[in-house]
Amino acid sequence: MSIESGTLYVVATPLGNLGDLSQRAVETLASVDLIAAEDTRHSAKLLSAMGIGRPLIALHEHNETSISARILERLGAGESIALISDAGTPLISDPGYPLVSAARRQGCKIVPIPGPSAIICALSAAGLPTDRFLFEGFPPRTAPARRRRFEQLAEFPATLVFYESSHRLAESLADMAATFGTERRAVLARELTKLHETFLDAPLAGLLERVQQDPNQQRGEMVILVAGAPERNPAADESPIAIDRLLALLLRDLSVKRAAEIVAEATGRRRNEIYRRALEIKDHGASRATPQG
Ligand code: SAM
C-alpha cells in the first residue's frame, strides 16, 4: 500500500479483538511517519503486537488544540500521519475532531481507514430497526441534565444509541424507564467482540431489574440501544369533536357516503366508523359539532 505524503489517515482500531484490525490499517500504521494516539502506552501494546514500531505522539482531550497545531505543521511539511484512539473509530466519542476539521480547512488530504465502532457493531446485532437511528454518545452525567436530555428524545421515532459507563448504567436505565416508559424495548450490548460479549434484550423495566440483580451485567464496556417512539398517526390524534365538525360541514352539501369518504381519507380513520358517525350526525345532529355561522 502506498502512503501519500502530507496526508492524515484516520484509522479505526479494534474494540477488543485484535483480529478486527484490518490489513489496510496495519499497512497504514506501519508506513506513516507518525502516529497520533489518544493514549500512547495503550496503543504501543497494540502496535507492538502487530510488529509496528512507528513514532507516537499523544493527542487527547486535554492537549488537542496545541498538538493538533503541531500535527498540522508537520502535515504541511509533507509528513504522513495516522490518527488512532484507544478503541474503535477516532472522533466517535473520542479525540480528533479539532484536528480533522482544521486539516480539512487547511486543504490537507484526509483518508479514512474504516473499521470497528461500537455503535455500528451493537446496532448490527441488536435486532432493533437500523433504517434510522440517532447516536447520542454519552448521556449527561448529572441526573437532572440526563432526564432533560431523555425527555427531549422521548418522542423521537428512530432507534436511540447511547454509550454509557458501567458505574452509571443502572441510573441511566432507571431514568430511561421513567421517561421513555417501562415497556419500551431496549438492548444492552456489553463487551462487544470480547470474551464476555453479551446482548440483553428486554423492556426497559426488565433490563433495569436484570442489571440490578446481576452485578456482572454492569461490568465492562457497554452500548444501550432503545427502540424509537412508536410513529404517531396524526389521524388517530384527531379529536372526535374535530371530526364531528368536519362531517357536519360537509353534510350541508354532500351525501352521508361522500362526506364519510372524504373525512375517512383526510383523517386516516376507518371508513365504516366515520360513516356510522356521519349517519348519527345526519339523523340527530351533533350538539358540539354544529358549525357556527
Ligand atoms: N471511538 C469508539 C467507537 O468508535 O466506538 C468509542 C469510544 S468511547 C470513549 C468508549 C465507549 O464506547 C465505551 O464507554 C462504550 O460505551 C463504547 N464501547 C467501546 N468499546 C466497546 C465494547 N467492546 N463493547 C461495548 N461498548 C463499547
Side-chain angles (χ1 to χ4, degrees):
M1 163 170 183
S2 65
I3 286 293
E4 293 184 56
S5 66
T7 300
L8 176 64
Y9 293 87
V10 184
V11 182
T13 57
L15 297 172
N17 187 325
L18 271 194
D20 293 334
L21 190 64
S22 74
Q23 184 64 30
R24 196 166 162 231
V26 173
E27 288 171 10
T28 304
L29 293 171
S31 315
V32 288
D33 295 312
L34 178 71
I35 299 173
E38 185 180 3
D39 177 341
T40 50
R41 274 197 304 185
H42 175 95
S43 293
K45 287 184 205 147
L46 169 77
L47 297 170
S48 91
M50 306 313 293
I52 296 170
R54 305 307 301 150
L56 285 162
I57 186 172
L59 180 139
H60 45 70
E61 59 175 330
H62 305 296
N63 70 1
E64 259 189 298
T65 317
S66 57
I67 296 298
S68 294
R70 276 167 56 187
I71 290 175
L72 288 171
E73 269 173 35
R74 294 178 69 160
L75 285 167
E79 290 191 37
S80 57
I81 299 179
L83 170 68
I84 59 176
S85 60
D86 287 353
T89 302
L91 280 81
I92 307 300
S93 296
D94 264 344
Y97 169 67
L99 173 62
V100 171
S101 66
R104 187 149 301 287
R105 282 199 303 274
Q106 189 171 293
C108 292
K109 182 161 183 190
I110 306 167
V111 176
I113 309 290
S117 187
I119 318 163
I120 301 299
C121 182
L123 266 172
S124 71
L128 289 169
T130 52
D131 52 340
R132 286 180 72 198
F133 64 87
L134 180 68
F135 174 56
E136 269 292 314
F138 289 92
R141 290 171 187 210
T142 63
R146 188 168 54 232
R147 283 181 207 139
R148 266 199 308 281
R149 176 71 53 82
F150 291 165
E151 272 156 23
Q152 288 162 1
L153 298 170
E155 296 299 322
F156 197 74
T159 300
L160 305 170
V161 187
F162 301 91
Y163 285 167
E164 190 49 292
S165 71
S166 50
H167 58 278
R168 273 192 295 273
L169 173 67
E171 15 177 319
S172 263
L173 285 178
D175 286 342
M176 285 177 185
T179 32
F180 302 150
T182 51
E183 292 311 305
R184 182 90 72 97
R185 187 178 160 206
V187 175
L188 176 65
R190 224 169 38 80
E191 292 291 87
L192 293 164
T193 76
K194 302 186 204 175
L195 186 62
H196 296 292
E197 180 178 87
T198 314
F199 284 84
L200 294 181
D201 178 346
L204 277 165
L207 204 54
L208 175 61
E209 200 179 308
R210 184 78 198 275
V211 306
Q212 282 170 334
Q213 281 169 359
D214 180 0
N216 282 332
Q217 301 299 339
Q218 299 185 33
R219 298 220 164 98
E221 298 196 277
M222 54 202 62
V223 181
I224 308 171
L225 305 99
V226 182
E231 285 281 3
R232 281 162 71 100
N233 175 3
D237 296 340
E238 208 78 60
S239 78
I241 297 174
I243 289 176
D244 283 359
R245 277 183 64 80
L246 200 54
L247 280 171
L249 276 169
L250 291 172
L251 286 169
R252 283 178 176 177
D253 299 310
L254 299 176
S255 68
V256 168
K257 183 166 177 280
R258 190 69 195 119
E261 278 170 356
I262 291 172
V263 174
E265 192 176 333
T267 61
R269 295 285 187 100
R270 283 204 304 276
R271 205 178 279 192
N272 284 353
E273 173 199 338
I274 300 293
Y275 185 78
R276 273 198 304 275
R277 186 64 190 143
L279 276 179
E280 287 170 16
I281 292 172
K282 180 90 177 167
D283 291 343
H284 310 294
S287 52
R288 285 183 300 169
T290 313
Q292 307 296 307

